[in-house]
Amino acid sequence: MKNLIYIILVALLLSCSKKEADQPNKAYRIACNVWTDKEGDNYEVFTMNLDGTDQVNITNLEGVEWTYRAYDDQVLYISDRDTCNRCYFLYETDALGSQHRKIGGPQLRDSWMSTRNGGQEIIVNPKVDGDSAFYIINRSGELVQKIYTGLPYYSDPYFSPDGKEIVFRGSKKRFKANIGYQDELYIVGVDGSNLRQLTYYPEGDTTANWYSYHAGPPFWEPNRNVITYHSKQQGGSYLFQINPDGSGLKKLTPDSIPVGWHSWSPDGTMITFDSNTGENDEDMNFDIFIMEYESGEITRITSDTLFEQAPVFVEAMVK
């Protein structure tokens, strides 16, 4: 009897081991926007390994495709396919671009986005005549909720870790030259309550033009409950970190690397960002970098002539 039980246990262990061995492992890739044809205004979404190898064009369409969010192994991207030039709708695909699906919902503005409830709900910035709200939609594109901020300008919303608030880039002036426009980060409840300003651009700093990011698109990192953003200050562009209550402001990146759009890895260990590696503004060539958060060590993962921006982490299944 004991021998029979032993044989059954061994068989079960071997069966479980085989199933685990058959299961693919998860590995991070970087998805980013690539300007493939400047004259033809063609942008694609590429993914690559964390060392910059195995670059794959996962959209490969005419027109504009931009990603501003990934969740698990799905890349969310906006596209003007099948519509007018730069008239965007929301789509998703996997990390290698093997399957594409239109999520639907309203036409969208060019804006970063975020997810909550296990990726089942997405907050977007819609382009809807007569309405001035962020929309929370489900993965079928159906409206779940609207969030009115009350500000003349609002963009780039990101959910808090508990999904009850958002941080976003806003302004008390419309996005227009010579009227005092300046963007800052704001936090508001998803019911539109308790609007409060989070960032305050250094008084007397005139190095940012009106169209420059005083406070760039934010990322609310859930593992540490901190908010990060980039800002052009003192003649450079740096990544900053701040607590949701406005305390703990600090600069994360050195003066030697101008920082653009960024995002965090899901485990909170890495930040990826783009940087203009050209010698001047007329010689722009954006490449992708990864920074280890704890050590601050920065690695450049692309060194090519492609114009690569807005990197996000996405999971890929590997054997």
Side-chain angles (χ1 to χ4, degrees):
M1 184 65 179
K2 289 182 179 179
N3 289 338
L4 179 59
I5 293 174
Y6 176 77
I7 292 171
I8 293 173
L9 287 174
V10 170
L12 287 172
L13 287 172
L14 290 174
S15 176
C16 290
S17 298
K18 185 178 186 304
K19 287 181 180 179
E20 289 179 0
D22 290 340
Q23 292 295 321
N25 296 316
K26 293 181 179 180
Y28 293 140
R29 288 175 66 86
I30 296 291
C32 66
N33 304 327
V34 181
W35 198 2
T36 56
D37 182 0
K38 297 181 180 181
E39 293 183 0
D41 192 33
N42 188 44
Y43 289 82
E44 305 287 357
V45 179
F46 283 34
T47 67
M48 66 190 77
N49 292 329
L50 297 191
D51 61 0
T53 60
D54 190 30
Q55 292 192 12
V56 178
N57 182 346
I58 66 170
T59 50
N60 200 26
L61 297 163
E62 293 183 2
V64 176
E65 281 74 43
W66 284 325
T67 181
Y68 293 120
R69 176 65 176 169
Y71 187 85
D72 287 341
D73 62 345
Q74 293 296 299
V75 178
L76 303 177
Y77 66 94
I78 59 175
S79 173
D80 63 0
R81 62 195 289 186
D82 303 324
T83 63
C84 58
N85 179 249
R86 301 211 171 194
C87 301
Y88 309 116
F89 289 89
L90 186 58
Y91 294 79
E92 67 178 348
T93 187
D94 59 274
L96 296 178
S98 60
Q99 294 182 343
H100 293 257
R101 183 179 75 89
K102 185 176 183 179
I103 292 178
Q107 183 177 333
L108 300 181
R109 300 182 189 276
D110 179 15
S111 169
W112 286 70
M113 60 190 68
S114 175
T115 57
R116 70 174 184 182
N117 294 340
Q120 294 307 303
E121 294 180 343
I122 310 162
I123 185 168
V124 296
N125 190 0
K127 187 175 183 180
V128 178
D129 291 341
D131 207 354
S132 57
F134 291 124
Y135 283 15
I136 300 175
I137 61 175
N138 62 23
R139 294 303 278 262
S140 298
E142 299 166 333
L143 179 64
V144 174
Q145 186 178 345
K146 296 182 181 182
I147 304 175
Y148 291 93
T149 69
L151 294 177
Y153 180 83
Y154 54 94
S155 190
D156 307 311
Y158 204 98
F159 281 118
S160 62
D162 62 7
K164 295 180 179 180
E165 294 182 302
I166 61 166
V167 60
F168 66 97
R169 191 169 60 87
S171 177
K172 297 176 182 178
K173 301 285 187 178
R174 291 185 298 113
F175 183 75
K176 189 176 181 180
N178 303 322
I179 63 168
Y181 169 85
Q182 179 173 304
D183 56 348
E184 297 283 3
L185 297 188
Y186 291 81
I187 293 178
V188 69
V190 293
D191 60 356
S193 65
N194 195 26
L195 176 70
R196 60 192 188 276
Q197 185 173 334
L198 180 64
T199 62
Y200 293 85
Y201 193 74
E203 189 174 350
D205 190 333
T206 60
T207 56
N209 296 311
W210 71 271
Y211 53 82
S212 302
Y213 282 122
H214 296 80
F219 197 112
W220 200 322
E221 205 287 308
N223 298 282
R224 294 176 177 79
N225 194 30
V226 296
I227 294 166
T228 49
Y229 65 99
H230 74 279
S231 175
K232 186 171 184 180
Q233 300 182 16
Q234 300 176 350
S237 184
Y238 311 108
L239 189 66
F240 290 87
Q241 173 181 303
I242 191 170
N243 294 326
D245 63 3
S247 66
L249 177 65
K250 65 177 180 179
K251 185 162 74 79
L252 297 179
T253 50
D255 296 347
S256 57
I257 301 178
V259 175
W261 289 316
H262 81 288
S263 63
W264 285 74
S265 61
D267 63 7
T269 63
M270 296 176 285
I271 300 173
T272 182
F273 60 86
D274 60 62
S275 178
N276 179 11
T277 56
E279 295 182 358
N280 52 60
D281 290 341
E282 288 73 34
D283 183 30
M284 290 190 299
N285 180 45
F286 286 86
D287 280 309
I288 305 301
F289 293 72
I290 291 178
M291 182 176 76
E292 298 286 340
Y293 178 77
E294 292 296 340
S295 68
E297 180 180 355
I298 296 175
T299 302
R300 180 175 177 175
I301 69 169
T302 63
S303 300
D304 49 40
T305 58
L306 293 174
F307 192 101
E308 298 148 323
Q309 289 185 294
V312 298
F313 287 92
V314 60
E315 292 181 352
M317 301 300 180
V318 295
K319 283 289 189 180

